[in-house]
Amino acid sequence: MSGYDDSPTTCHLQEILQWHFSPETGSPFWLKRRDSLGFDPLRDVEDFADLRKFPDVSDELRTVPVDLLVPAGSADSPFEVYESGGTLGAPKRVVEHRSRQEGVDWVETVLPAFGDGGHWLHIGPTGPHIVGRSVRRLAQLRRAKFFTVDFDPRWVKLLIRTDRRPLADEYVQHVLDQVETIVESQDIRVLFVTPPVLEALCAREKLYRRLADRVTGIIWSGTSISSTSLRLLKTEFFPQAEVRGIYGNSLMGIAPQRSPEPGDTHPCVFRTFQPRSVVEVVDPDTGERVAPGERGRVLVHLLTKDLFLPNVMERDTAVRIASGLPRDGDDLADVQPFRPASGAQVIEGVY
């Protein structure tokens, strides 16, 4: 007998551990650390709670050669490299073959229909950020033509950090100039956009009027949004559109807003693609899970064959929502940037 329970999360966890810590299939990154962990991941990690034994190695993703992250078992597969936004320092790099595509395919089954026909417009970063590829995949699954207006969120963060806010605002208008050129001639019905850019779009009268009666779906992501702004978006600016949020990043994958459930008190509740991506909401000082309804720091466990990243403390806080299902992870609501006690500045910018 293995001694493990047979829950889906535990079975998946054991499969991932065997993959990443077996010499035949594991990545050099984890195999090198196996003897220095102080425990045997194949013997001493029996369930989800034991993931806390692992160190948070995410800071090493800023500098580790990406070849060391690729599992030997998939060495012949075409891996791609993506980066985090770099909000709290140099970007972190991840490798990806199929896991994120599987996550996007699941998200497509969760999102509403957004009406029939029309094209999608992604107003956001592509380049080293994985979100551009993910939105393209979503549009393809809906058989929609995919347009994109790229922008560099790191440049905007730098402008804000160096007290050049007017230049950041000018850059956003440059982005909207490109959006306007597209919507003048194309049948755009679904927008994937960040809240700050969407707010600027609504303030640009001509562009807003072109889209207000046409758009049937809005997916917001990339930064937080206040409940007041979300309500105005739904009731005043785009009352005919289905508005949904997606939370996530390059390290954890994407967590779409789930459908409302009885007892919900928050307008948006996000759910990850479990058991591949499991989040907990924890007290930032003790690391203990907070009670349902309380705010805490977001702790991520990425459990895929492409990449194993346990115990990653995210930049964000959220309200813990009990999933109500036999899951080991939490649902999330009211996601906001973590404000460190040191008073260090956290800049969301436009993504």
Side-chain angles (χ1 to χ4, degrees), residues 6-272:
D6 57 357
S7 71
T9 299
T10 300
C11 292
H12 178 76
L13 170 62
Q14 293 303 321
E15 180 184 4
I16 295 302
L17 290 170
Q18 288 289 338
W19 177 262
H20 285 282
F21 289 97
S22 296
E24 297 80 11
T25 56
S27 69
F29 180 82
W30 280 114
L31 292 175
K32 178 182 176 183
R33 281 162 179 74
R34 180 172 178 175
D35 292 338
S36 61
L37 288 172
F39 62 92
D40 185 346
L42 298 184
R43 183 193 64 207
D44 301 328
V45 178
E46 297 187 353
D47 55 27
F48 173 78
D50 287 335
L51 286 173
R52 296 294 192 91
K53 295 178 178 179
F54 286 96
D56 180 354
V57 298
S58 60
D59 275 345
E60 297 184 46
L61 299 179
R62 303 182 197 278
T63 56
V64 65
V66 295
D67 289 340
L68 300 183
L69 299 174
V70 176
S74 347
D76 294 332
S77 301
F79 273 73
E80 297 181 355
V81 180
Y82 293 97
E83 295 185 354
S84 67
T87 301
L88 300 177
K92 299 172 182 177
R93 297 184 184 88
V94 298
V95 293
E96 139 73 14
H97 168 44
R98 297 185 58 181
S99 60
R100 302 305 171 94
Q101 177 176 310
E102 293 169 352
V104 173
D105 290 357
W106 167 73
V107 170
E108 195 276 332
T109 67
V110 176
L111 290 176
F114 292 143
D116 296 326
H119 309 317
W120 286 42
L121 173 58
H122 169 59
I123 312 170
T126 54
H129 310 278
I130 200 169
V131 62
R133 193 191 74 168
S134 297
V135 184
R136 181 187 299 276
R137 174 74 179 173
L138 275 175
Q140 290 172 339
L141 291 170
R142 295 293 174 94
R143 301 184 183 282
K145 299 292 187 304
F146 180 70
F147 293 78
T148 183
V149 174
D150 193 17
F151 64 62
D152 184 352
R154 296 172 185 167
W155 174 239
V156 177
K157 286 187 175 77
L158 177 62
L159 292 174
I160 296 173
R161 187 181 304 118
T162 54
D163 200 23
R164 291 183 284 173
R165 185 73 204 208
L167 279 179
D169 294 339
E170 186 176 341
Y171 184 80
V172 171
Q173 292 305 314
H174 168 63
V175 169
L176 294 180
D177 287 344
Q178 299 169 72
V179 173
E180 192 153 341
T181 299
I182 292 173
V183 302
E184 282 177 351
S185 60
Q186 304 300 322
D187 184 22
I188 301 299
R189 298 297 180 93
V190 177
L191 297 178
F192 192 102
V193 61
T194 66
V197 175
L198 185 55
E199 181 179 351
L201 185 154
C202 291
R204 191 156 163 162
E205 183 71 16
K206 181 181 176 183
L207 177 57
Y208 166 69
R209 290 297 172 195
R210 282 187 178 277
L211 290 170
D213 296 329
R214 186 196 307 175
V215 168
T216 57
I218 294 175
I219 306 173
W220 61 269
S221 186
T223 69
S224 57
I225 187 172
S226 70
S227 57
T228 299
S229 295
L230 187 59
R231 178 177 54 78
L232 289 174
L233 184 65
K234 293 178 176 177
T235 60
E236 302 293 333
F237 288 97
F238 293 96
Q240 300 181 59
E242 186 77 39
V243 179
R244 290 296 179 98
I246 288 182
Y247 172 64
N249 54 50
S250 297
L251 270 63
M252 66 168 280
I254 51 181
Q257 178 184 339
R258 65 159 168 73
S259 297
E261 295 182 357
D264 278 349
T265 58
H266 295 273
C268 295
V269 177
F270 302 102
R271 178 168 290 169
T272 62

Side-chain angles (χ1 to χ4, degrees), residues 87-88 315-316 337-340 343-349:
T87 301
L88 300 177
R315 70 169 196 183
D316 297 319
F338 174 65
R339 307 292 179 186
Q345 189 180 21
V346 177
I347 298 172
E348 278 196 299

